[in-house]
Amino acid sequence: MKLTDFKFDTEDYNVPDEPVQPRDAAKLMVLNREDQSIKHETFADIHKYLDEGDVLIYNNTKVFPARLKGKKEKTDADIEVFLLRELVPENMLWDVLVEPARKIRIGNKLYFGPNLMAEVIDNTTSRGRTIRFLFEGSNEELYHILDNIGEMPLPPYIEREAREEDKEQYQTIFAKERGSVAAPFAAMHFTEELVEKLEDKGVEMLPITMHIGWGTFRPCEVEDLTKHRTDSENYYISEETSSKINEALADDDRKVVGCGTTSVRTIETSITASGISKPGTGWTDKFIFPPYDFKITEGVITNFHRPESTMLMLGAAFAGYDFLMEAYEEAQENDYRFFAFGDSMLIL
């Protein structure tokens, strides 16, 4: 398939800048691949489509306030730094994006208030830099300062400014392991009450961790999808999660459902040559697009994504391109909410 296959106009789409309340009141579109049927539900009803013994994999990553506003030394010019990922915690080295990039050079010092300063030590891309925070406290103390002065990295299509309440609002209820610059959108629809209902039914809720990087916002820019390269992202799968996945794979009456594209990419990365999930930590740049033979995933929960995005392409690989495009048209006709704070679909 080509990039242009995933291009469509979103001008008339409903793109909210706030989540619905309660979270599980979002719409849920259920796609059945076997009979090509589409049903309209609310997310609170998702328990009707999952059975006792099913395994639901979710991403427990936590978004941190990755956008910093500061000043450049000497000129006092306004600058913005977007923290991408921590490189060497003990040395407080980070990969970042900077604006305006043309004015930020190696050796420059950047000031983020009276208690925090950083030095630019390398260029990585046209906008990318490596910085070292010049901070004498511990790493946890540094994170405490970042939590206080940073802004949440809302997606670029959200037109409003980030607010203090986004530090709670732009998270899932599963958020535990700090490290992402974007929330795993599909998991944002869960509430504690819904999780309890699923667990009472016998659905096993199991975490993985994948720290989502800036690449999640970056569309493909090459027509030939085989030439696209995604940014590597750090993941972790526990012994328990892998073991439970493998137990479900060995039982035809149980299915493994990935909540969100990051969960799907993580469990599909974990597959071994013998066809089982392997625990551990690592980096993955897995890019899933049609056609793709899913080795583990038997169901996908996902939002309605931007055109030309890798998340859209993964959905098409699982649902089938034509079926997914039909679903997107139906969603638009029924005023579904799109993108980060939008509604959801379950593909079975």
Side-chain angles (χ1 to χ4, degrees):
M1 300 204 73
K2 302 296 184 181
L3 178 63
T4 48
D5 293 324
F6 296 93
K7 190 172 185 176
F8 54 87
D9 185 13
T10 61
E11 183 178 352
D12 296 326
Y13 281 26
N14 181 355
V15 181
D17 59 11
E18 308 278 354
V20 297
Q21 296 295 341
R23 296 290 184 93
D24 60 5
K27 293 179 181 180
L28 175 70
M29 181 183 285
V30 183
L31 278 62
N32 186 309
R33 295 180 295 167
E34 184 175 353
D35 62 15
Q36 298 287 287
S37 65
I38 295 176
K39 293 182 179 180
H40 301 279
E41 303 273 11
T42 61
F43 198 84
D45 294 321
I46 198 170
H47 63 91
K48 298 192 302 185
Y49 297 92
L50 299 175
D51 302 316
E52 181 179 358
D54 286 349
V55 171
L56 179 58
I57 307 297
Y58 63 87
N59 189 353
N60 69 358
T61 190
K62 184 176 183 178
V63 186
F64 68 99
R67 182 171 281 114
L68 304 178
K69 293 180 178 178
K71 300 283 187 180
K72 182 184 172 185
E73 66 168 342
K74 297 179 182 178
T75 65
D76 209 33
D78 291 335
I79 54 98
E80 183 172 294
V81 169
F82 192 103
L83 301 173
L84 294 179
R85 62 186 182 189
E86 194 174 21
L87 296 175
V88 185
E90 57 269 27
N91 293 335
M92 299 185 182
L93 291 177
W94 285 75
D95 266 343
V96 304
L97 297 176
V98 296
E99 291 289 354
R102 68 186 184 279
K103 296 183 178 180
I104 308 299
R105 299 182 175 89
I106 294 174
N108 286 160
K109 290 187 172 59
L110 312 175
Y111 296 86
F112 308 101
N115 299 319
L116 191 61
M117 178 173 64
E119 181 180 7
V120 180
I121 64 171
D122 198 8
N123 296 330
T124 54
T125 64
S126 60
R127 294 176 58 215
R129 304 289 186 272
T130 299
I131 68 170
R132 176 190 290 114
F133 284 107
L134 306 176
F135 182 71
E136 295 183 356
S138 67
N139 216 40
E140 276 304 310
E141 289 172 320
L142 172 62
Y143 268 107
H144 180 71
I145 292 176
L146 296 178
D147 287 340
N148 286 327
I149 68 173
E151 294 181 359
M152 290 297 275
L154 297 181
Y157 51 79
I158 299 295
E159 296 182 355
R160 66 172 174 83
E161 291 292 320
R163 301 189 296 250
E164 186 64 24
E165 53 264 35
D166 288 319
K167 292 179 180 180
E168 296 295 330
Q169 185 167 265
Y170 192 50
Q171 302 281 11
T172 73
I173 63 168
F174 307 116
K176 180 181 178 182
E177 303 296 335
R178 180 180 58 209
S180 276
V181 300
F185 302 147
M188 292 182 72
H189 304 291
F190 283 90
T191 62
E192 299 289 353
E193 293 76 16
L194 179 55
V195 169
E196 183 176 352
K197 188 176 293 187
L198 286 164
E199 290 178 337
D200 287 345
K201 192 173 182 178
V203 176
E204 296 199 69
M205 305 282 294
L206 297 171
I208 57 89
T209 304
M210 177 187 275
H211 293 315
I212 305 167
W214 178 249
T216 193
F217 296 129
R218 185 180 301 138
C220 291
E221 295 178 343
V222 290
E223 181 67 6
D224 183 353
L225 297 182
T226 64
K227 295 181 179 179
H228 175 70
R229 295 294 178 265
T230 61
D231 295 347
S232 292
E233 293 164 311
N234 188 235
Y235 73 89
Y236 169 73
I237 303 180
S238 69
E239 292 272 1
E240 179 184 11
T241 293
S242 270
S243 176
K244 295 288 187 180
I245 287 173
N246 293 329
E247 289 174 12
L249 290 176
D251 188 340
D252 290 339
D253 294 327
R254 302 170 65 189
K255 57 183 176 288
V256 179
V257 178
C259 180
T261 58
T262 55
S263 294
V264 172
R265 288 174 56 225
T266 299
I267 60 178
E268 292 294 323
T269 294
S270 77
I271 196 74
T272 66
S274 57
I276 62 173
S277 173
K278 179 182 178 181
T281 188
W283 293 84
T284 182
D285 60 358
K286 180 174 281 293
F287 172 36
I288 296 177
F289 62 96
Y292 179 83
D293 180 20
F294 288 85
K295 302 297 194 301
I296 293 179
T297 311
E298 298 164 292
V300 174
I301 303 170
T302 186
N303 275 27
F304 293 87
H305 297 294
R306 294 170 298 135
E308 301 179 294
S309 67
T310 58
M311 295 172 285
L312 172 67
M313 293 169 191
L314 186 151
F318 190 79
Y321 174 81
D322 291 336
F323 191 28
L324 190 74
M325 291 301 103
E326 176 189 345
Y328 269 59
E329 290 180 9
E330 189 158 329
Q332 198 271 337
E333 291 168 359
N334 287 271
D335 199 33
Y336 272 65
R337 293 154 58 98
F338 280 70
F339 309 161
F341 290 128
D343 295 315
S344 184
M345 68 166 60
L346 170 65
I347 311 171
L348 294 172

